[in-house]
Every structure is written in structure tokens, then in C-alpha cells.
């Protein structure tokens, strides 16, 4: 899904992570070589790499957090993976802070304690980087998809179900729009038989259907390819086994109104 912290569709988080990654790894490598060669200059280089790497790490975390909150679909495997990814990165930064404080000055010789902790932190950094890769390359967080005729990713926030989600002229056949309303994520789309609305939640692992492909009256999840009938929610192809939620909608004067499902309908006053 298109990143919220982006510049012309280029997500900022992956642009920034190269800095802490390079600096923290550099700090570890300088210390290893400095220790082996008894070189004060390398100890100092390691120290300053660690300090700048910590600052850069917290800066890189900000756009990552924005995307985790606003882009990664709720109740999905990606949400859990993102939480673990962020948690491990914070742990790494805390470890480097502890090491920097413990060293007291730039040219202090690193001891076994610092080198051991740093090595463990670098291993954790590798695991966290792997998870980040899965988020980017499998879950496609931050990817601005362009399917045939789908146009740009469209998204809208409604403050009430009474408001129109869109005008039907905004969507051509095969196009979808993510509508956030009443704490739910609903996809409004135009299939070959007219306007439809369904939950933006694949029943396999919570993938965002608004970011998938709508062909005919079938939507395909971008994560593992499950396909659903957008009228009935029925599974056409797995790995998903359960149907998706579908919504009734009404078109009045060209405006498209979504009817909330019974369990989310506002209570009468
Ligand atoms: S999340 Fe796996 S197919 Fe949708």
C-alpha cells in the first residue's frame, strides 16, 4: 500500500534506514578491527559511528511508525511483523546507548562486555532487517501499485456512515477506493456489474484488498493471491478459506452511500 510518509510515492523509511544500519554496523566493525590492532583512532571512529547511528535510528523510526500506524492493515500478519520489527530495532538502539554510556569516552578501549553486547545487537539488527524485507517485498508496505486501469491509490476518511463515500463517476470499472469510516476499512469499487463494497480485510492473513486487483467481479488479495467474489464475499481461490464481509450500498443522485453492517450500525437515540 502507498506509504503515508513518502515523497512522490517514495517511502521515506527505507531511504533513512541505510544510515543507522551502516553506522551501527560500522561501529561494530571499527571496534573489532581496533581491538585486534590496538588502534585508538578506530575505537574513536566506532564511538562516533554509534552516537550518530543512534540518532539516525530514531529519525528513521518516525516514518516507519507513521506507516505502521496508518498503512499496515490492522489485525494482519503484517501488523504483528511490523511491531516485532520496530521492537527489535528499538532494542538494538537501547543496547548501543548502554554501550556508549558504559564506554565513558571516545578513545576508551572496548572490553569484552561491549564487544559481546554489540555482536548480539548486530545479530538482532540482521533479524529485524529480514522482517523489514518481508514487510516491503512480501507485504508490499509502501509499494504504490498500479494495476491495469486501476489508476492511483484512492483513499478517503468519512466521519459518519451517512456521508457519501464517493461519487460513482470517480471510479471506472476495475477501480477501487479505500474508505475509512466508523473504525472500519471498507473498499468501494466498480466491478463489471456496478458498484460494490466489501471489507478491506483478506480472511487469510489480513491483507489489504483495496491494494489488490479487481477484475470482473473478483478481487485478488495482493499478499498471497486469494480471490473473492465481491458480491457475496465467497472464496473463489485460496489460500483463504472464509468469505470476506460485504456491504450493501445505495447510489442516490450519483453519490455512493455504504450501509454499515448490522453489528456496526449506530444505535438509535
Ligand atoms: S493475506 Fe494471504 S491471501 Fe490475502
Amino acid at each position: 500500500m502507498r506509504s503515508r510518509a513518502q515523497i512522490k510515492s517514495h517511502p521515506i523509511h527505507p531511504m533513512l534506514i541505510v544510515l543507522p544500519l551502516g553506522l551501527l554496523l560500522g561501529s561494530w566493525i571499527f571496534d573489532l578491527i581496533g581491538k585486534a590492532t590496538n588502534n585508538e583512532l578506530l575505537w574513536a571512529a566506532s564511538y562516533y559511528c554509534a552516537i550518530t547511528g543512534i540518532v539516525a535510528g530514531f529519525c528513521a523510526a518516525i516514518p516507519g511508525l507513521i506507516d505502521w500506524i496508518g498503512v499496515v492493515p490492522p489485525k494482519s500478519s503484517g501488523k504483528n511483523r511490523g511491531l516485532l520489527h520496530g521492537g527489535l530495532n528499538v532494542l538494538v538502539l537501547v543496547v548501543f546507548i548502554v554501550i556508549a554510556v558504559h564506554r565513558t569516552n571516545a578513545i576508551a578501549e572496548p572490553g569484552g562486555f561491549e564487544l559481546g553486547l554489540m555482536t548480539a545487537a548486530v545479530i538482532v539488527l540482521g533479524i529485524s532487517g529480514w522482517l523489514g524485507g518481508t514487510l516491503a517485498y512480501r507485504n508490499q508496505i509502501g509499494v504504490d501499485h498500479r494495476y491495469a486501469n486501476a489508476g492511483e491509490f484512492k483513499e478517503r476518511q468519512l466521519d459518519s456512515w451517512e456521508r457519501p463515500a464517493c461519487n460513482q463517476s470517480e471510479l471506472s470499472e476495475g477501480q477501487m477506493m479505500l474508505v475509512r469510516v466508523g473504525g472500519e476499512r471498507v473498499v468501494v469499487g466498480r466491478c463489471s456489474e456496478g458498484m460494490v463494497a466489501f471489507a478491506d480485510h483478506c480472511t487469510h492473513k489480513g491483507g489489504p484488498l483495496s491494494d489488490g486487483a479487481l477484475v470482473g467481479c473478483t478481487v485478488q488479495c495482493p499478499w498471497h493471491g486469494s480471490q473473492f467474489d465481491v458480491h457475496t464475499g465467497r472464496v473463489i481461490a485460496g489460500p483463504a478459506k472464509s468469505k470476506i464481509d460485504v456491504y450493501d450500498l445505495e447510489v442516490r443522485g450519483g453519490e455512493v452511500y455504504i450501509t454499515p453492517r448490522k453489528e456496526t450500525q449506530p444505535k438509535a437515540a
Side-chain angles (χ1 to χ4, degrees):
M1 295 185 74
R2 186 182 158 115
S3 166
R4 287 199 160 183
Q6 44 85 19
I7 301 168
K8 290 189 173 292
S9 291
H10 290 246
I12 296 172
H13 181 61
M15 288 185 215
L16 293 185
I17 53 168
V18 290
L19 292 171
L21 208 55
L23 288 163
L24 297 178
L25 274 176
S27 170
W28 177 62
I29 291 167
F30 282 140
D31 256 356
L32 285 180
I33 301 174
K35 183 81 175 167
T37 57
N38 205 28
N39 186 330
E40 270 187 9
L41 277 178
L42 289 179
W43 301 340
S46 164
Y47 181 81
Y48 290 117
C49 275
I51 300 294
T52 46
I54 291 163
V55 174
F58 282 111
C59 292
I62 295 168
L65 186 62
I66 291 171
D67 280 347
W68 182 75
I69 293 171
V71 176
V72 184
K75 297 182 190 152
S76 68
S77 58
K79 200 74 165 179
N80 299 337
R81 187 172 290 120
L83 184 64
L84 186 58
H85 168 71
L88 290 178
N89 284 338
V90 169
L91 178 67
V92 168
L93 293 178
V94 169
V95 167
F96 271 91
I97 290 171
V98 169
I99 293 167
V101 170
H102 195 257
R103 277 173 86 149
T104 64
N105 68 70
I107 53 167
E109 180 180 0
F113 170 74
E114 285 95 342
L115 282 175
L117 259 188
M118 231 189 246
T119 304
V122 166
I123 292 169
V124 173
L125 202 55
I127 296 169
S128 161
W130 179 278
L131 293 172
T134 308
L135 284 163
Y137 302 120
R138 173 134 47 85
N139 295 148
Q140 303 164 47
I141 306 301
V143 175
D144 189 5
H145 283 127
R146 301 290 163 90
Y147 293 113
N149 302 322
E152 289 195 1
F153 186 75
K154 299 181 183 69
E155 187 171 356
R156 191 155 293 165
Q157 176 87 42
L158 300 184
D159 54 17
S160 125
W161 293 95
E162 270 89 57
R163 300 230 178 261
C166 62
N167 190 287
Q168 60 177 352
S169 63
E170 290 178 62
L171 298 173
S172 312
E173 185 179 330
Q175 293 188 340
M176 299 184 279
M177 171 185 284
L178 171 61
V179 179
R180 297 169 193 261
V181 53
E184 295 190 34
R185 294 161 59 114
V186 183
V187 185
V188 175
R190 184 193 283 270
C191 76
S192 52
E193 294 169 14
M195 303 300 293
V196 287
F198 51 91
D200 183 41
H201 182 86
C202 173
T203 52
H204 178 225
K205 292 196 173 177
L209 297 175
S210 58
D211 203 31
L214 179 61
V215 178
C217 288
T218 299
V219 66
Q220 176 165 303
C221 176
W223 283 7
H224 312 95
S226 291
Q227 295 180 346
F228 304 92
D229 180 316
V230 291
H231 290 296
T232 62
R234 172 179 73 85
V235 177
I236 294 173
K241 292 193 166 41
S242 318
K243 62 190 290 232
I244 54 169
D245 289 327
V246 292
Y247 293 75
D248 291 330
L249 56 73
E250 219 183 314
V251 181
R252 296 199 299 267
E255 301 291 325
V256 179
Y257 295 84
I258 309 166
T259 309
R261 290 175 300 135
K262 282 210 176 59
E263 57 268 35
T264 54
Q265 273 178 7
K267 304 242 179 328

